[in-house]
Amino acid sequence: VTETTRLHALGNELTFKEAGYIKQWNWMTSQDELVCDICRAGHEGGPYLVDELHNRLPAHVNCRCWSQPIVDEDALNETIDTTLEEGEYL
């Protein structure tokens, strides 16, 4: 579980950076009785910068948390407009 969470977080960080319109993320937990104090505190402390993702998740061995991207809508719209203008979608 720990290494899967670590790889998932690293993949998300790389993908968020490559997209260019995701600068922050929220710490998500299962919100059940198994959520530990470390993860509960992390969940309540966000949002976090994308550059912090690989240093925060997994927070501990057997961590079940994940990152939820926060989309910068202005940057996304700019990316869409640029792509349409340049015809990259063809």
Side-chain angles (χ1 to χ4, degrees):
V1 170
T2 307
E3 293 310 311
T4 300
T5 300
R6 185 180 325 282
L7 289 172
H8 188 261
L10 179 59
N12 280 344
E13 180 176 337
L14 295 172
T15 301
F16 297 169
K17 286 179 179 179
E18 181 70 24
Y21 48 83
I22 299 170
K23 308 291 186 209
Q24 295 180 309
W25 58 279
N26 284 319
W27 187 313
M28 304 302 292
T29 70
S30 297
Q31 298 183 0
D32 60 16
E33 65 280 352
L34 300 177
V35 175
C36 69
D37 291 339
I38 294 170
C39 294
R40 190 172 296 107
H43 175 69
E44 294 170 355
Y48 298 98
L49 296 175
V50 169
D51 289 336
E52 298 178 52
L53 209 161
H54 73 278
N55 288 326
R56 294 195 177 268
L57 292 178
H60 55 79
V61 174
N62 293 324
C63 182
R64 303 177 299 144
C65 296
W66 68 95
S67 60
Q68 178 185 57
I70 299 172
V71 175
D72 178 335
E73 291 184 23
D74 292 334
L76 174 60
N77 288 331
E78 185 177 318
T79 299
I80 291 169
D81 291 344
T82 300
T83 301
L84 292 174
E85 288 171 7
E86 294 174 0
E88 292 180 17
Y89 59 95
L90 297 176

